[in-house]
């Protein structure tokens, strides 16, 4: 889901994102536990999309989320276990 939001479907426009993705740990499945945690984060934050909440839940504990959506991600991360947010 995150990749669909991040990519354009054009090799030229996606080149930088694809280079960046090679440096990332990609989670291709979401466990039931992570889905429950994402739902809990959304309830606690009272904002954020399902995708935003999943990104923050997957980053637990101790990960960093890179985002252009500072408000929602920071609201979710405020309830997460040691998740930091970097705005890009």
């Amino acid at each position: 889901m995150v990749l669909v939001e991040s990519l354009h479907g054009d090799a030229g426009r996606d080149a930088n994102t694809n280079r960046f993705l090679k440096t990332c740990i990609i989670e291709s499945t979401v466990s039931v536990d992570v889905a429950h945690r994402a739902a809990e984060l959304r309830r606690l934050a009272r904002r954020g999309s399902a995708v935003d909440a999943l990104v923050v839940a997957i980053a637990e504990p101790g990960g960093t989320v890179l985002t252009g959506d500072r408000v929602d991600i920071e609201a979710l991360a405020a309830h997460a276990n040691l998740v930091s947010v970097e705005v890009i």
Side-chain angles (χ1 to χ4, degrees), residues 29-68:
T29 60
V30 175
S31 71
V32 172
D33 289 340
V34 170
H36 280 283
R37 179 61 175 149
E40 179 182 31
L41 291 171
R42 282 183 82 195
R43 178 181 57 80
L44 293 169
R46 297 177 152 215
R47 67 179 312 130
S49 69
V51 172
D52 291 346
L54 280 170
V55 169
V56 174
I58 289 169
E60 285 186 315
T64 301
V65 176
L66 304 176
T67 186

Side-chain angles (χ1 to χ4, degrees), residues 1-55:
M1 293 180 288
V2 174
L3 291 177
V4 173
E5 287 189 345
S6 302
L7 297 169
H8 301 281
D10 175 88
R13 291 183 70 192
D14 292 338
N16 287 336
T17 302
N18 287 326
R19 276 193 292 279
F20 174 71
L21 288 171
K22 291 178 184 177
T23 70
C24 297
I25 298 168
I26 306 295
E27 294 287 340
S28 60
T29 60
V30 175
S31 71
V32 172
D33 289 340
V34 170
H36 280 283
R37 179 61 175 149
E40 179 182 31
L41 291 171
R42 282 183 82 195
R43 178 181 57 80
L44 293 169
R46 297 177 152 215
R47 67 179 312 130
S49 69
V51 172
D52 291 346
L54 280 170
V55 169

